[in-house]
Amino acid sequence: LLDEDGSGAITLEEVDLMLQDPEMSAYFSVLGFDSIQSERLFRLLDDDGSGTIRIQEFMEGCMRLKGAARSIDIHAMMADIRALKKSMEKHLRVPDI
C-alpha cells in the first residue's frame, strides 16, 4: 500500500517506506533509483510541487520514468528550456552570451 495514512496522497516518508519493500525497490532500481535517492524520485513525481504526490501523479510519473526518453520528449524539453531562457532574458535583460 502506497498511501499508508489513507490521505489520498503520498508523502516523502511514504516513498521511503515503499522503497524498503524489496519488490518496489527492485522496480525502481530498474528505473535507476535506489532507496538512497528517494527524495530525488519524490521530487520528480511531485509535478505540482505540493510536497505530496496524488495517486494519479504517482502513476503518471512512473509511466514517464519507464523506458528511455524518446527523441520527441527531448526536443519538447529543449523547446521549453529555450522559451524559458527567452522569457528570463526579456525580464532580466541578460545580455547574450
Side-chain angles (χ1 to χ4, degrees):
L1 185 64
L2 299 175
D3 181 16
E4 291 288 325
D5 63 5
S7 66
I10 303 167
T11 64
L12 177 56
E13 292 77 23
E14 289 170 324
V15 170
D16 286 336
L17 285 172
M18 173 189 65
L19 290 175
Q20 290 176 15
D21 176 88
E23 194 172 311
M24 293 299 284
S25 181
Y27 174 77
F28 283 102
S29 179
V30 168
L31 296 176
F33 294 95
D34 57 29
S35 59
I36 296 170
Q37 297 174 315
S38 61
E39 187 170 349
R40 181 175 180 218
L41 173 63
F42 184 83
R43 300 288 171 233
L44 284 171
L45 297 176
D46 185 15
D47 282 341
D48 61 6
S50 66
T52 60
I53 304 169
R54 295 180 330 277
I55 301 299
Q56 183 175 346
E57 265 181 309
F58 179 82
M59 299 305 290
E60 290 171 357
C62 288
M63 293 304 294
R64 283 194 311 269
L65 293 174
K66 184 179 177 185
R70 297 176 302 185
S71 179
I72 193 166
D73 296 329
I74 294 169
H75 285 283
M77 188 181 331
M78 289 170 50
D80 290 344
I81 291 169
R82 281 192 300 272
L84 180 60
K85 181 180 180 254
K86 283 182 182 181
S87 176
M88 289 179 69
E89 287 172 345
K90 179 180 174 184
H91 287 52
L92 299 175
R93 298 179 191 204
V94 175
D96 285 320
I97 299 174

